[in-house]
């Protein structure tokens, strides 16, 4: 099964007469992740029925961002939609299916300022939110909306928030290239939906709603959409809502590739399993043992990773406080 001429993106759009924030919600960027699609369909049905009313601003929701991957029931169609997420240069046709989808989604994202991207993951584990860099004027991913992004993550109701992605991705590329800093083209591959949104002056949070098959994940996705709408003042506040519980904050510090099909974990890991320094994580094909280099947590362990791709990430406790605006001058 491949691309069909009938493939279309379904886009639910709601615009209140009163101006306000512009929120975009994506589901199904990865085809085997269905919770976001279910959460979006439920929110759309409530908006259509009038149970939920948009008070201001604009809300756009795409329940299945990658229809080909969804039809296949796989993470990817021809490739990972959440990489190389940049529009094709003018006059140049996208090289593949996901490139054509990206060319449709980017102009849509350009009309919004906030992105909530709903995902799920392979290993067992609890839902968590992922945010980007702290405010900075660097070249890799300059950013000035870390506080707003952190506030959104804080209100999505997960017990954990993970920061950092592109810097770890860049470091991983450099590692693969024997220490050479990654060039722009290679780095562009690390761009997902949120990186694109930040590059356009907006901000974005990825919500990992739970394991792919977790029956609770669609509810996590649905509640997150409502929480985002409430936080942004786009729907009426919930008088019964409890204040957000402060999540524990982790920072990604490294990514380790699987190099060989014989590379094996020492046991089945779940995302956020804690690790003590020196603890064995996996055994390489040559018999060498990979150990935790410091105390921390394993994230996205993927025992089915293809050789040459990400096997697992490592995170440590972060000192960032999402509830406070940055000191002037940033950090
Ligand atoms: Zn995903």
């Amino acid at each position: 099964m491949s691309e069909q001429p009938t493939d279309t993106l379904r886009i639910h759009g709601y615009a209140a007469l009163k101006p306000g924030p512009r929120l975009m919600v994506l589901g199904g960027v990865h085809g085997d992740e269905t919770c976001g699609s279910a959460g979006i369909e439920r929110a759309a049905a409530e908006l259509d029925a009038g149970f939920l009313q948009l008070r201001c601003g604009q809300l756009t929701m795409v329940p299945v961002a990658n229809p080909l991957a969804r039809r296949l029931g796989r993470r990817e169609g021809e490739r990972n939609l959440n990489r190389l997420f940049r529009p094709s240069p003018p006059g140049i046709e996208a090289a593949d299916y996901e490139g054509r989808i990206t060319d449709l989604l980017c102009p849509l994202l350009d009309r919004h300022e906030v992105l909530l991207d709903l995902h799920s993951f392979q290993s067992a584990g609890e839902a968590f939110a992922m945010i980007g860099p702290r405010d900075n004027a660097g070249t890799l991913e300059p950013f000035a909306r870390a506080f707003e992004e952190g506030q959104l993550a804080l209100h999505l109701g997960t017990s954990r928030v993970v920061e950092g992605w592109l810097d770890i991705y860049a470091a991983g590329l450099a590692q693969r290239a024997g220490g050479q800093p990654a060039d722009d083209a290679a780095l562009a591959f690390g761009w997902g939906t949120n990186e694109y949104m930040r590059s356009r002056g907006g901000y974005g949070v990825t919500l990992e709603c739970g394991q792919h098959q977790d029956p609770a994940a669609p509810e996590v996705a649905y509640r997150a959409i409502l929480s985002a709408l409430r936080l942004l003042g786009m729907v009426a506040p919930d008088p019964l809502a409890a204040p957000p519980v402060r999540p524990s904050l982790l920072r990604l510090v490294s990514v380790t590739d699987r190099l060989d099909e014989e590379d094996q974990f020492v046991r089945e890991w779940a995302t956020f399993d804690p690790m003590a320094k020196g603890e064995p994580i996996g055994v390489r094909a040559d018999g060498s043992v990979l150990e935790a280099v410091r105390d921390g947590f394993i994230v996205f362990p993927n025992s089915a990773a293809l050789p040459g791709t990400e096997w697992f990430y490592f995170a440590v406790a972060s000192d960032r406080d999402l509830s406070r605006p940055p000191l002037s001058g940033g950090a």
Side-chain angles (χ1 to χ4, degrees):
M1 206 185 310
S2 63
E3 182 172 355
Q4 294 175 357
T6 52
D7 254 359
T8 51
L9 276 185
R10 192 146 56 88
I11 301 163
H12 299 283
Y14 301 87
L17 297 190
K18 189 179 166 198
R22 300 180 309 279
L23 170 67
M24 179 131 164
V25 184
L26 290 176
V29 163
H30 294 132
D32 54 347
E33 303 175 6
T34 56
C35 57
S37 312
I40 287 172
E41 297 295 5
R42 184 170 163 195
E46 292 190 352
L47 283 158
D48 292 344
F51 293 136
L52 194 60
Q53 275 169 347
L54 200 63
R55 302 207 297 188
C56 67
Q58 296 180 26
L59 169 66
T60 303
M61 300 191 287
V62 179
V64 180
N66 192 335
L68 172 59
R70 175 59 51 85
R71 275 206 311 278
L72 297 169
R74 289 196 322 225
R75 179 177 178 80
E76 312 182 353
E78 296 178 3
R79 64 169 174 86
N80 188 348
L81 176 60
N82 212 17
R83 297 283 185 276
L84 256 181
F85 200 89
R86 283 181 187 182
S88 306
I92 298 199
E93 223 177 283
D96 49 31
Y97 183 91
E98 276 76 9
R100 289 189 278 283
I101 297 281
T102 304
D103 284 346
L104 285 174
L105 288 177
C106 286
L108 208 53
L109 283 163
D110 290 347
R111 292 177 19 219
H112 299 77
E113 58 178 328
V114 189
L115 170 63
L116 175 61
D117 192 2
L118 300 166
H119 288 250
S120 57
F121 48 85
Q122 169 75 41
S123 59
E126 257 182 73
F128 64 100
M130 292 185 77
I131 56 178
R134 305 179 192 196
D135 284 346
N136 73 92
T139 52
L140 182 64
E141 195 177 18
F143 195 43
R145 303 188 76 171
F147 176 65
E148 291 162 281
E149 191 172 279
Q151 282 292 302
L152 177 56
L154 197 61
H155 284 78
L156 296 182
T158 61
S159 60
R160 288 188 188 85
V161 174
V162 176
E163 64 167 334
W165 153 253
L166 201 55
D167 51 342
I168 295 312
Y169 183 81
L173 285 178
Q175 203 180 342
R176 276 174 225 169
Q180 296 294 317
D183 61 28
D184 252 11
L187 274 177
F189 197 73
W191 272 38
T193 55
N194 287 313
E195 287 71 27
Y196 179 75
M197 199 64 183
R198 290 182 201 113
S199 79
R200 304 297 289 170
Y203 62 92
V205 173
T206 291
L207 180 63
E208 297 283 351
C209 300
Q211 204 279 333
H212 294 326
Q213 311 296 334
D214 186 340
E219 177 81 15
V220 172
Y222 165 76
R223 284 178 183 271
I225 297 168
L226 258 59
S227 298
L229 289 169
R230 286 194 197 107
L231 173 70
L232 296 167
M234 295 168 70
V235 301
D238 176 2
L240 301 174
V245 179
R246 182 175 290 202
S248 70
L249 201 63
L250 304 178
R251 181 167 56 87
L252 291 178
V253 289
S254 66
V255 55
T256 301
D257 284 352
R258 194 169 186 213
L259 302 177
D260 191 292
E261 276 181 11
E262 299 296 309
D263 290 357
Q264 301 291 340
F265 287 129
V266 296
R267 69 172 180 86
E268 192 149 319
W269 298 108
T271 271
F272 300 123
D273 275 344
M275 308 227 142
K277 183 181 175 180
E279 194 173 335
I281 299 172
V283 180
R284 292 284 195 197
D286 65 4
S288 59
V289 177
L290 281 174
E291 295 176 347
V293 294
R294 55 201 282 195
D295 293 352
F297 306 85
I298 194 165
V299 184
F300 293 132
N302 184 358
S303 56
L306 297 172
T309 68
E310 300 98 317
W311 196 14
F312 63 90
Y313 288 78
F314 198 78
V316 299
S318 167
D319 58 359
R320 187 161 155 186
D321 183 350
L322 300 180
S323 63
R324 274 187 223 171
L327 301 168
S328 55

Short mmCIF file of all heavy atoms in Angstrom, two decimals, residues 225-246:
data_model
loop_
_atom_site.label_atom_id
_atom_site.label_comp_id
_atom_site.label_asym_id
_atom_site.label_seq_id
_atom_site.Cartn_x
_atom_site.Cartn_y
_atom_site.Cartn_z
N ILE A 225 -5.86 18.66 25.44
CA ILE A 225 -6.42 19.68 24.53
C ILE A 225 -7.25 20.68 25.34
O ILE A 225 -7.11 21.90 25.20
CB ILE A 225 -7.28 19.02 23.43
CG1 ILE A 225 -6.42 18.11 22.56
CG2 ILE A 225 -7.98 20.08 22.58
CD1 ILE A 225 -7.23 17.20 21.62
N LEU A 226 -8.10 20.16 26.23
CA LEU A 226 -8.93 21.04 27.06
C LEU A 226 -8.08 21.91 27.97
O LEU A 226 -8.35 23.10 28.13
CB LEU A 226 -9.92 20.20 27.89
CG LEU A 226 -11.34 20.19 27.34
CD1 LEU A 226 -11.39 19.65 25.94
CD2 LEU A 226 -12.28 19.44 28.25
N SER A 227 -7.06 21.31 28.56
CA SER A 227 -6.19 22.08 29.47
C SER A 227 -5.49 23.20 28.72
O SER A 227 -5.36 24.31 29.23
CB SER A 227 -5.13 21.16 30.08
OG SER A 227 -5.75 20.17 30.85
N ALA A 228 -5.04 22.90 27.50
CA ALA A 228 -4.37 23.93 26.70
C ALA A 228 -5.35 25.06 26.38
O ALA A 228 -5.01 26.24 26.50
CB ALA A 228 -3.81 23.32 25.42
N LEU A 229 -6.56 24.70 25.99
CA LEU A 229 -7.57 25.71 25.64
C LEU A 229 -7.90 26.58 26.86
O LEU A 229 -8.07 27.80 26.74
CB LEU A 229 -8.84 25.04 25.11
CG LEU A 229 -8.72 24.41 23.72
CD1 LEU A 229 -9.93 23.53 23.42
CD2 LEU A 229 -8.58 25.50 22.65
N ARG A 230 -8.00 25.96 28.03
CA ARG A 230 -8.29 26.72 29.25
C ARG A 230 -7.13 27.63 29.62
O ARG A 230 -7.33 28.80 29.95
CB ARG A 230 -8.57 25.77 30.41
CG ARG A 230 -9.90 25.09 30.32
CD ARG A 230 -10.26 24.44 31.65
NE ARG A 230 -11.32 23.48 31.42
CZ ARG A 230 -11.14 22.16 31.45
NH1 ARG A 230 -9.97 21.64 31.72
NH2 ARG A 230 -12.16 21.36 31.21
N LEU A 231 -5.94 27.08 29.58
CA LEU A 231 -4.76 27.88 29.94
C LEU A 231 -4.66 29.12 29.06
O LEU A 231 -4.32 30.21 29.53
CB LEU A 231 -3.48 27.03 29.78
CG LEU A 231 -2.16 27.78 29.96
CD1 LEU A 231 -1.98 28.19 31.43
CD2 LEU A 231 -0.99 26.95 29.49
N LEU A 232 -4.98 28.96 27.78
CA LEU A 232 -4.88 30.07 26.83
C LEU A 232 -6.11 30.98 26.87
O LEU A 232 -6.18 31.95 26.12
CB LEU A 232 -4.67 29.52 25.41
CG LEU A 232 -3.35 28.75 25.20
CD1 LEU A 232 -3.37 27.99 23.88
CD2 LEU A 232 -2.16 29.70 25.25
N GLY A 233 -7.09 30.63 27.72
CA GLY A 233 -8.29 31.45 27.83
C GLY A 233 -9.23 31.29 26.66
O GLY A 233 -10.10 32.13 26.42
N MET A 234 -9.08 30.22 25.89
CA MET A 234 -9.88 30.05 24.68
C MET A 234 -11.22 29.36 24.95
O MET A 234 -12.12 29.41 24.13
CB MET A 234 -9.09 29.27 23.64
CG MET A 234 -7.86 30.05 23.15
SD MET A 234 -6.72 29.04 22.17
CE MET A 234 -7.67 28.77 20.66
N VAL A 235 -11.33 28.67 26.07
CA VAL A 235 -12.62 28.12 26.52
C VAL A 235 -12.79 28.52 27.98
O VAL A 235 -11.83 28.96 28.63
CB VAL A 235 -12.72 26.58 26.37
CG1 VAL A 235 -12.54 26.16 24.92
CG2 VAL A 235 -11.72 25.88 27.27
N ALA A 236 -14.01 28.37 28.49
CA ALA A 236 -14.30 28.77 29.86
C ALA A 236 -13.45 27.96 30.84
O ALA A 236 -13.19 26.78 30.61
CB ALA A 236 -15.78 28.56 30.15
N PRO A 237 -13.01 28.59 31.92
CA PRO A 237 -12.24 27.84 32.91
C PRO A 237 -13.10 26.78 33.59
O PRO A 237 -14.33 26.89 33.60
CB PRO A 237 -11.80 28.91 33.91
CG PRO A 237 -12.70 30.08 33.69
CD PRO A 237 -13.20 30.00 32.28
N ASP A 238 -12.48 25.76 34.10
CA ASP A 238 -13.18 24.72 34.83
C ASP A 238 -13.11 25.06 36.31
O ASP A 238 -12.03 25.00 36.91
CB ASP A 238 -12.52 23.36 34.56
CG ASP A 238 -13.15 22.24 35.37
OD1 ASP A 238 -14.12 22.51 36.10
OD2 ASP A 238 -12.67 21.10 35.25
N PRO A 239 -14.26 25.45 36.92
CA PRO A 239 -14.22 25.89 38.31
C PRO A 239 -13.78 24.77 39.27
O PRO A 239 -13.35 25.05 40.38
CB PRO A 239 -15.66 26.33 38.59
CG PRO A 239 -16.49 25.70 37.53
CD PRO A 239 -15.61 25.47 36.35
N LEU A 240 -13.90 23.53 38.82
CA LEU A 240 -13.55 22.41 39.69
C LEU A 240 -12.10 21.96 39.51
O LEU A 240 -11.62 21.06 40.20
CB LEU A 240 -14.48 21.22 39.42
CG LEU A 240 -15.96 21.50 39.62
CD1 LEU A 240 -16.79 20.30 39.19
CD2 LEU A 240 -16.26 21.86 41.07
N ALA A 241 -11.42 22.57 38.54
CA ALA A 241 -10.07 22.10 38.22
C ALA A 241 -9.10 22.37 39.37
O ALA A 241 -9.10 23.46 39.94
CB ALA A 241 -9.57 22.77 36.95
N ALA A 242 -8.31 21.37 39.69
CA ALA A 242 -7.28 21.55 40.72
C ALA A 242 -6.10 22.26 40.08
O ALA A 242 -5.88 22.16 38.88
CB ALA A 242 -6.86 20.18 41.23
N PRO A 243 -5.35 23.03 40.88
CA PRO A 243 -4.15 23.65 40.31
C PRO A 243 -3.18 22.56 39.85
O PRO A 243 -3.21 21.45 40.38
CB PRO A 243 -3.56 24.45 41.48
CG PRO A 243 -4.19 23.89 42.71
CD PRO A 243 -5.49 23.28 42.31
N PRO A 244 -2.36 22.88 38.85
CA PRO A 244 -1.48 21.83 38.33
C PRO A 244 -0.51 21.31 39.39
O PRO A 244 0.00 22.07 40.20
CB PRO A 244 -0.72 22.52 37.20
CG PRO A 244 -0.88 23.98 37.43
CD PRO A 244 -2.16 24.16 38.18
N VAL A 245 -0.32 20.01 39.37
CA VAL A 245 0.67 19.40 40.26
C VAL A 245 2.03 19.64 39.63
O VAL A 245 2.19 19.52 38.42
CB VAL A 245 0.40 17.88 40.35
CG1 VAL A 245 1.42 17.21 41.25
CG2 VAL A 245 -1.01 17.63 40.84
N ARG A 246 2.99 20.01 40.45
CA ARG A 246 4.30 20.30 39.88
C ARG A 246 4.97 19.00 39.42
O ARG A 246 5.23 18.11 40.22
CB ARG A 246 5.16 21.00 40.92
CG ARG A 246 6.53 21.37 40.37
CD ARG A 246 7.33 22.15 41.36
NE ARG A 246 6.77 23.49 41.54
CZ ARG A 246 7.47 24.51 42.00
NH1 ARG A 246 8.72 24.35 42.36
NH2 ARG A 246 6.91 25.70 42.14
#
